[in-house]
Amino acid sequence: MNSAVIVVHGGGASSISKDRKERVRQGIVKAATVGYNILKEGGSAVDAVEGAVVVLEDDAEFNAGHGSVLNENGEVEMDASIMNGKDLSAGAVSAVRCVANPIKLARLVMEKTHHCFLTDQGAAKFAADNGIPAIPGEQLVTERNKKRLEKEKHEKCAQKSDPQNLGTVGAVAVDCRGNVAYATSTGGIVNKMLGRVGDTPCVGSGGYADNDIGAISTTGHGESILKVNLARLTLFHVEQGKTLEEAAEASLGYMKSKVKGVGGVTVVNKAGDWAVKWTSASMPWAAAKDGKLHSGIDLSDTSVTDLP
């Protein structure tokens, strides 16, 4: 029996305001706990990462699902992907609207089609055909994100835009059978062009899972992550003999020096080792293993508690 592990993240960010910090911490802890309970009950790594990400998609504090940021037209367009390290099966969706949980749709793509990736209208038709209810797009729009879009448009005119305020949610897990998986989901970047797709649904950039190496979920500046294939690059370093921490540090350092991109990663391997690293100012994260919950938001801020 392997030691079950799950690690979740709530996205790299330039800063998280004091009034939001506690809500963000609670959300990330809840997601890790839900995922860990799935593993403890014998669920698969895929079940666990999907379950954890659904919690974050349903939480308006995070840039995925219900809390997704708005594009230039004030609409929500979401991306997500999931991968099973046992057989490298993967599913992804992009430019999805009017769906509460894109990660569930990505899993259906993985399990019910011969494809890896569906987009826009095709993804919407597939969702309807598989009984995923369409919800009014406005239901996914929050007041906070309306204000963020206004601010971004105003600051873009004044050339003060902050490209670091980026959020994506994700999870990686190892189940008791030694299988690994990842899931990543996002609303993208505030004020993005209509139809813009970032790294999140792109296998090898937004995440990767292979039982022989490990599983990773990434967050940060999507265009930078795409350019360096951050997920696969990190696991390449693991294949070359680096520890998970060393591999994460090397790939994030490369992305920063090569394309000035900031981001973060959560990584696990089938032995149950795990690591979290980021170059953004903060990254909410939580890891559950052996009945203990580790969590943090800023670099100097890590707590360990017993899981209920």
Side-chain angles (χ1 to χ4, degrees):
M1 287 280 282
N2 279 65
S3 180
V5 185
I6 187 161
V7 191
V8 300
H9 70 78
S14 50
S15 61
I16 296 172
S17 59
K18 276 185 183 169
D19 62 312
R20 283 188 60 229
K21 260 190 180 167
E22 192 47 42
R23 296 197 298 275
V24 166
R25 190 186 298 277
Q26 285 172 5
I28 213 84
V29 163
K30 181 183 176 188
T33 306
V34 164
Y36 188 64
N37 286 338
I38 290 169
L39 293 172
K40 273 204 314 189
E41 286 158 17
S44 69
V46 171
D47 294 334
V49 294
E50 180 192 26
V53 167
V54 163
V55 170
L56 298 172
E57 287 177 337
D58 290 344
D59 188 329
E61 291 299 328
F62 299 93
N63 177 17
H66 182 59
S68 292
V69 296
L70 308 180
N71 66 15
E72 60 187 358
N73 292 351
E75 300 158 337
V76 165
E77 286 185 307
M78 302 165 290
D79 307 328
S81 64
I82 191 167
M83 188 171 187
N84 186 344
K86 185 180 180 181
D87 58 3
L88 304 192
S89 57
V93 292
S94 68
V96 169
R97 300 158 176 258
C98 306
V99 166
N101 298 110
I103 200 64
K104 289 185 177 179
L105 187 56
R107 182 169 182 178
L108 283 174
V109 172
M110 175 172 77
E111 294 182 344
K112 291 188 179 291
T113 78
H114 297 298
H115 304 312
C116 289
F117 198 151
L118 292 178
T119 191
D120 199 5
Q121 293 170 353
K125 181 183 183 299
F126 176 71
D129 291 347
N130 282 274
I132 289 189
I135 59 171
E138 311 83 72
Q139 272 188 33
L140 298 168
V141 177
T142 63
E143 281 306 314
R144 185 166 77 88
N145 281 320
K146 282 185 190 171
K147 286 177 184 158
R148 285 176 78 182
L149 179 62
E150 280 172 31
K151 181 171 181 271
E152 181 71 16
K153 287 193 167 182
H154 178 261
E155 289 184 349
K156 205 169 185 185
C157 293
Q159 298 299 308
K160 287 182 188 167
S161 181
D162 174 17
Q164 291 191 28
N165 206 356
L166 311 158
T168 298
V169 306
V172 289
V174 192
D175 62 31
C176 59
R177 291 167 290 281
N179 296 316
V180 301
Y182 94 84
T184 312
S185 181
T186 192
I189 292 178
V190 185
N191 199 30
K192 63 186 179 181
M193 287 174 66
L194 186 67
R196 177 266 185 188
V197 175
D199 66 291
T200 295
C202 299
V203 171
S205 291
Y208 202 80
D210 181 338
N211 280 5
D212 292 336
I213 323 164
I216 177 169
S217 173
T218 69
T219 179
H221 183 240
E223 282 70 14
S224 298
I225 291 172
L226 277 166
K227 287 170 187 172
V228 303
N229 280 165
L230 184 63
R232 197 62 187 80
L233 177 63
T234 306
L235 293 183
F236 167 76
H237 287 306
V238 174
E239 285 178 291
Q240 298 302 303
K242 284 184 164 64
T243 66
L244 298 185
E245 290 228 346
E246 289 166 349
E249 212 159 273
S251 60
L252 286 166
Y254 177 80
M255 184 169 80
K256 200 169 186 181
S257 66
K258 200 80 176 171
V259 292
K260 297 184 172 60
V262 296
V265 299
T266 53
V267 207
V268 294
N269 62 22
K270 67 178 178 184
D273 304 318
W274 60 273
V276 294
K277 283 274 174 198
W278 64 93
T279 48
S280 47
S282 58
M283 184 179 82
W285 64 274
K289 179 182 177 180
D290 297 334
K292 297 280 184 191
L293 180 84
H294 309 250
S295 65
I297 292 178
D298 301 315
L299 278 172
S300 57
D301 150 44
T302 304
S303 67
V304 185
T305 55
D306 290 325
L307 277 157

